[in-house]
Amino acid sequence: MRRGLAGVLFGRFSMISVDSRREVKCSFHLLSCCSVVVSVSVVSLDKALETNHLNARVGDNVEIKCDVTGSPIPPIVWRRNQLDLSTITEEDVRVFSDGSLYLTRIQLQHAGNYTCHAQRNKDVVQTHVLTVHTVPEVHVTPRIQSKRPGEDATMLCHVAGEPFPKVEWLKNDDSLKMENTKKYQLIGNGTALKIKDIGFADTGAYMCQASSIGGLTRDISSLVVQEQPTPTSANEERRFFAFHDWGVSIYEPTACRLYHRIQSTDIIPGTQEYVCGDKRVKCSWGRAINVANRYVYASQPERDRVIIISKVQMVVVDVIRDAGQKRKHHTVHPEPIDGQFDLVTGLFIPSSEQELSHHSFKYGYVTHTNQRGLYKLDLVNLRYTRSVDLTPYNCVPLHIQFSALYGMVIMQCMEPITKRPTGQLVLDYVTDTVVATKSSLLGVPYVSPDSRKLITVDRTASGTTIIVQEITPYGLMFLFDVKTTLNISDVAFYPSQTTHSYDIYASAQDKEDLLFLNLLTGKVDIITGVGKAVPVNLTEWSNPNRPISGSGLFGQYMVTPASEALFVINGRSRTVNCEIGSVIHPNAIVWTTIKFY
Ligand SMILES: *[C@@H]1O[C@H](CO)[C@@H](O)[C@H](O)[C@H]1NC(C)=O
Ligand SMILES: *[C@@H]1O[C@H](CO)[C@@H](O)[C@H](O)[C@H]1NC(C)=O
Ligand SMILES: *[C@@H]1O[C@H](CO)[C@@H](O)[C@H](O)[C@H]1NC(C)=O
Ligand SMILES: *[C@@H]1O[C@H](CO)[C@@H](O)[C@H](O)[C@H]1NC(C)=O
């Protein structure tokens, strides 16, 4: 279904008086060798229509009409970041011969400026500024809690949306009587509601409500006040898979209990192959990820395969062979391996854990060894759609991060052969045009799950600088930077306790410390005593030697593997929850959530 948004919001051109028309241009063209043909193109645009503001919701189809007109009616060119949009072959952005632009199933990435002008006249340009909004998302925890009179109760709320919504708490449909400040305490824009010294009258349904131009969404946390509280069993549980030299171990983080162990010498069901090998053959793990919260995929680059573990049964259920030759298994970042794919050095796929994205990322990028460029990969149809030349920027992409908001693709670049860093590039996800360059900004980029912050970790001989930028409709804005003597190995985002956004925890390559950085205030905290890291020379496949992995929204715990132990960190209290020993060289952690209904 198409909607003529521009036509609905703004009057037609015929209503505009002649005086306000900007320019009349004539152009002369030599059409053939022997005769001069004069073609006069009269093009005009009402001054009041030079900038046209449009608003759409994610999922909408929008037709944008160009108000540049003329006699005869001129063919229209549409551009975004100077790129002629008729050269894009993608279905969701199409220029029609009647001069209108159609955007189908709009995503946040499509927000931005679209310009149109007559093919023969680039001087009269209309700019359409498209903002895209989402329905607010609200999640609360716990769903239900039972407490004794006199106790305090706390409930948490996480809100996401563009524009960021207004957040309120209600009780049984009424606003909270906040004058009663002794009773209620609202923390960080409604991130938490604390009810003090509860009585029976406080029993009720507490609603976290988020509202914006995109709509209104609520989620409910119930409080039951009783003399004899009914123990409320958790409705979900988080577990983590730790990949190490002798197999895979699965734990519960609160009591740090071992659930199950897959041994390196186990035989994969339905095959005659070992999970890793016969006795004394160590495992070699590439990368491991959670897929659709049902499976854990782990790559074994040495064996050119990916094994698939069932989250619930905790056994290997399948094997994908020749991972290097089949392009199908795009869910795993493949390592440089033999076969047809030997040129490929990196496959960069937007994380499915990003908020606001909802599978809106249809493309990823592939890089080739020492090549200054990218290949854009259609993840649905598994084919290459375009190549992007980055030679003018002397950029071989090393790391790529995606921001669902405003469609930014942020890259760390280096020079081919010499591997000298050449700074940060920002690409527009829709057109693959370079929209910003920062040659002085070196280091590995990380985008927060809410697409609001970009962290760049620059490691030098004297220590690490962490640069924090804000992701805005106008590009990246520097917020602050923090210097540390720790040599940062890995970064994990952790839900903030005072805002609806995130903070970070960073692990160190060679020290037994973790760094906490509050991304709102810039305040730093250090957690000590997390054990010796795996020696750098024992890490393979460009994994960090000291990973750190958070357990997602409302996930209290993080895990950071040491050389022969796993440390479970309580991110709320910033303390070590437990140390799990006798795990040799753990190098990858995957979190899963089990839901009980
Ligand atoms: C609180 O929410 C408002 C929007 O309702 C937003 O503008 C503001 O930045 C938020 N403050 C913090 C600290 O997140
Ligand atoms: C930090 O590690 C990187 C990579 O291993 C290395 O190049 C750099 O010199 C190290 N810095 C310090 C202070 O040890
Ligand atoms: C989009 O166009 C408007 C109006 O011309 C301008 O103010 C704004 O800076 C542009 N935005 C970007 C990101 O170029
Ligand atoms: C790794 O480095 C350590 C010292 O940090 C050294 O003792 C060990 O032999 C090295 N191992 C390998 C396989 O190079």
Side-chain angles (χ1 to χ4, degrees):
M1 202 178 67
R2 288 168 178 170
R3 263 196 261 156
L5 244 177
V8 172
L9 295 178
F10 297 90
R12 300 312 308 158
F13 185 71
S14 56
M15 298 165 64
I16 282 100
S17 73
V18 175
D19 288 352
S20 61
R21 293 185 185 189
R22 214 180 93 184
E23 260 177 294
V24 175
K25 285 252 164 176
C26 301
S27 55
F28 300 86
H29 291 267
L30 191 62
L31 287 189
S32 63
C33 74
C34 308
S35 66
V36 175
V37 177
V38 180
S39 98
V40 184
S41 76
V42 184
V43 170
S44 58
L45 172 67
D46 182 279
K47 189 125 186 108
L49 293 179
E50 268 177 13
T51 307
N52 175 22
H53 291 269
L54 304 162
N55 213 315
R57 186 192 286 197
V58 164
D60 279 353
N61 299 330
V62 169
E63 173 193 5
I64 312 178
K65 294 236 185 274
C66 185
D67 293 303
V68 172
T69 189
S71 164
I73 292 173
I76 296 293
V77 177
W78 282 93
R79 294 180 189 274
R80 177 178 162 105
N81 298 314
Q82 302 309 319
L83 185 84
D84 181 346
L85 293 175
S86 66
T87 62
I88 295 191
T89 53
E90 278 130 42
E91 266 184 15
D92 47 0
V93 178
R94 292 180 73 183
V95 176
F96 278 79
S97 53
D98 68 355
S100 51
L101 174 71
Y102 281 90
L103 303 174
T104 21
R105 287 182 297 278
I106 282 198
Q107 301 297 333
L108 285 169
Q109 294 94 310
H110 291 112
N113 287 2
Y114 296 83
T115 60
C116 62
H117 62 80
Q119 203 169 50
R120 293 213 190 144
N121 185 329
K122 295 194 175 80
D123 296 322
V124 181
V125 178
Q126 186 182 29
T127 303
H128 300 262
V129 182
L130 175 68
T131 45
V132 179
H133 57 255
T134 64
V135 178
E137 290 169 33
V138 182
H139 300 279
V140 298
T141 195
R143 297 237 143 262
I144 182 161
Q145 59 187 316
S146 174
K147 294 258 174 177
R148 277 197 186 83
E151 290 182 323
D152 292 348
T154 301
M155 33 204 93
L156 305 179
C157 178
H158 181 82
V159 167
E162 171 63 12
F164 190 79
K166 180 176 165 211
V167 183
E168 288 164 284
W169 279 88
L170 313 175
K171 181 190 176 187
N172 304 332
D173 266 331
D174 301 319
S175 355
L176 289 182
K177 297 193 180 54
M178 290 310 294
E179 321 69 90
N180 191 352
T181 46
K182 288 214 183 82
K183 169 73 63 191
Y184 302 117
Q185 188 189 351
L186 266 188
I187 300 159
N189 254 354
T191 306
L193 169 67
K194 193 166 180 185
I195 310 170
K196 288 186 221 157
D197 187 18
I198 53 176
F200 294 112
D202 291 317
T203 292
Y206 291 83
M207 272 178 278
C208 181
Q209 170 176 299
S211 51
S212 74
I213 178 179
L216 184 147
T217 309
R218 291 169 165 183
D219 198 9
I220 299 174
S221 177
S222 299
L223 172 65
V224 184
V225 185
Q226 293 166 300
E227 284 297 354
Q228 297 293 319
T230 28
T232 35
S233 58
N235 53 6
E236 63 169 46
E237 184 178 289
R238 291 174 205 226
R239 297 176 183 171
F240 63 92
F241 288 59
F243 293 80
H244 51 82
D245 274 4
W246 303 111
V248 188
S249 303
I250 299 118
Y251 301 90
E252 179 283 324
T254 311
C256 303
R257 186 163 69 84
L258 174 74
Y259 262 117
H260 188 69
R261 184 175 283 149
I262 299 171
Q263 309 279 4
S264 57
T265 51
D266 285 355
I267 301 286
I268 298 174
T271 72
Q272 278 152 23
E273 294 171 38
Y274 295 107
V275 168
C276 295
D278 204 350
K279 283 194 191 76
R280 284 189 294 278
V281 176
K282 288 183 191 169
C283 299
S284 168
W285 302 108
R287 244 153 264 230
I289 56 167
N290 179 331
V291 175
N293 201 26
R294 286 182 65 192
Y295 301 107
V296 174
Y297 282 35
S299 67
Q300 296 181 308
E302 252 174 15
R303 296 173 159 253
D304 210 7
R305 69 180 190 190
V306 173
I307 63 166
I308 303 177
I309 305 170
S310 152
K311 173 189 86 172
V312 177
Q313 296 158 309
M314 297 182 276
V315 293
V316 179
V317 291
D318 206 352
V319 182
I320 304 168
R321 276 168 239 282
D322 299 326
Q325 276 153 44
K326 283 186 200 152
R327 293 174 192 190
K328 270 198 141 156
H329 306 289
H330 55 265
T331 39
V332 176
H333 183 135
E335 330 309 325
I337 27 185
D338 304 331
Q340 291 170 286
F341 237 22
D342 59 353
L343 267 177
V344 170
T345 38
L347 171 59
F348 301 96
I349 308 293
S351 157
S352 57
E353 274 143 46
Q354 273 214 9
E355 295 170 4
L356 305 173
S357 68
H358 297 292
H359 315 291
S360 67
F361 286 113
K362 294 200 312 206
Y363 305 97
Y365 295 95
V366 167
T367 58
H368 284 185
T369 312
N370 276 326
Q371 260 188 30
R372 287 172 293 199
L374 290 169
Y375 296 87
K376 196 172 197 177
L377 184 65
D378 177 334
L379 299 174
V380 180
N381 302 308
L382 297 173
R383 60 183 173 86
Y384 290 101
T385 61
R386 237 180 311 160
S387 61
V388 184
D389 181 17
L390 299 174
T391 316
Y393 307 94
N394 200 12
C395 174
V396 175
L398 267 184
H399 286 101
I400 301 183
Q401 288 278 299
F402 298 84
S403 165
L405 267 182
Y406 321 122
M408 290 183 207
V409 180
I410 299 133
M411 290 181 271
Q412 179 197 13
C413 298
M414 68 170 188
E415 199 170 63
I417 321 290
T418 65
K419 300 202 186 317
R420 188 180 63 87
T422 54
Q424 202 165 72
L425 277 193
V426 182
L427 210 69
D428 170 33
Y429 188 72
V430 177
T431 57
D432 299 309
T433 47
V434 173
V435 291
T437 62
K438 265 267 188 312
S439 55
S440 60
L441 194 53
L442 311 178
V444 184
Y446 300 85
V447 169
S448 62
D450 63 347
S451 288
R452 302 281 174 187
K453 300 272 170 65
L454 175 74
I455 311 303
T456 305
V457 177
D458 182 15
R459 309 198 305 176
T460 64
S462 59
T464 307
T465 307
I466 301 172
I467 302 109
V468 181
Q469 290 169 284
E470 189 177 3
I471 298 174
T472 79
Y474 310 102
L476 299 172
M477 304 284 171
F478 175 83
L479 287 178
F480 59 88
D481 61 15
V482 170
K483 291 187 172 57
T484 165
T485 52
L486 295 179
N487 203 345
I488 300 298
S489 176
D490 195 16
V491 168
F493 286 95
Y494 188 83
S496 159
Q497 293 175 70
T498 53
T499 72
H500 293 272
S501 192
Y502 290 79
D503 295 323
I504 58 168
Y505 278 89
S507 60
Q509 190 175 293
D510 48 6
K511 290 225 175 63
E512 302 182 22
D513 295 338
L514 293 179
L515 177 142
F516 167 80
L517 174 60
N518 182 315
L519 294 183
L520 184 66
T521 62
K523 192 177 159 288
V524 169
D525 206 353
I526 298 286
I527 298 167
T528 56
V530 296
K532 262 198 164 6
V534 175
V536 174
N537 59 4
L538 291 184
T539 50
E540 300 174 287
W541 317 113
S542 61
N543 284 321
N545 75 311
R546 180 85 209 217
I548 179 161
S549 174
S551 50
L553 198 55
F554 302 133
Q556 188 170 356
Y557 298 106
M558 288 174 295
V559 173
T560 178
S563 184
E564 301 197 349
L566 294 162
F567 283 79
V568 179
I569 311 298
N570 182 338
R572 284 194 202 140
S573 59
R574 287 179 219 144
T575 52
V576 174
N577 182 50
C578 64
E579 174 183 350
I580 301 167
S582 306
V583 186
I584 311 302
H585 301 146
N587 71 343
I589 302 293
V590 176
W591 284 92
T592 62
T593 307
I594 310 272
K595 293 200 188 290
F596 309 114
Y597 294 103

